[in-house]
Amino acid sequence: MIEGLELTIYLNDEDISFSLSPTQTEVIFKALGIHIDTKDQTVTSFSDNSLKKHILPKINFVPID
């Protein structure tokens, strides 16, 4: 079971890292459609196109190209 993760943001030649709680991790995984298959040792997620089409409009987010 995944207990959490560390998120690193790269911005202007600097990086900021911080840990996410188990709840925050679950939200990120669900939002991105991340699924880890431990049997096959594969990871899948929603494509960028799917996120732009279905998720971003719902949260009023304007992606940076």
Side-chain angles (χ1 to χ4, degrees):
M1 176 179 192
I2 297 172
E3 297 176 10
L5 58 93
E6 184 172 11
L7 181 64
T8 302
I9 299 171
Y10 300 99
L11 181 64
N12 300 327
D13 296 326
E14 294 187 27
D15 58 79
I16 303 166
S17 296
F18 55 94
S19 297
L20 297 178
S21 71
T23 301
Q24 292 167 327
T25 299
E26 184 177 348
V27 169
I28 295 296
F29 274 42
K30 287 183 184 276
L32 297 177
I34 296 173
H35 175 75
I36 300 172
D37 187 325
T38 55
K39 181 180 175 188
D40 295 333
Q41 295 189 349
T42 58
V43 178
T44 57
S45 64
F46 297 143
S47 69
D48 285 350
N49 287 337
S50 291
L51 291 169
K52 287 177 183 177
K53 182 177 180 182
H54 301 289
I55 304 298
L56 294 182
K58 292 179 182 177
I59 60 172
N60 298 319
F61 181 82
V62 178
I64 300 171
D65 290 325

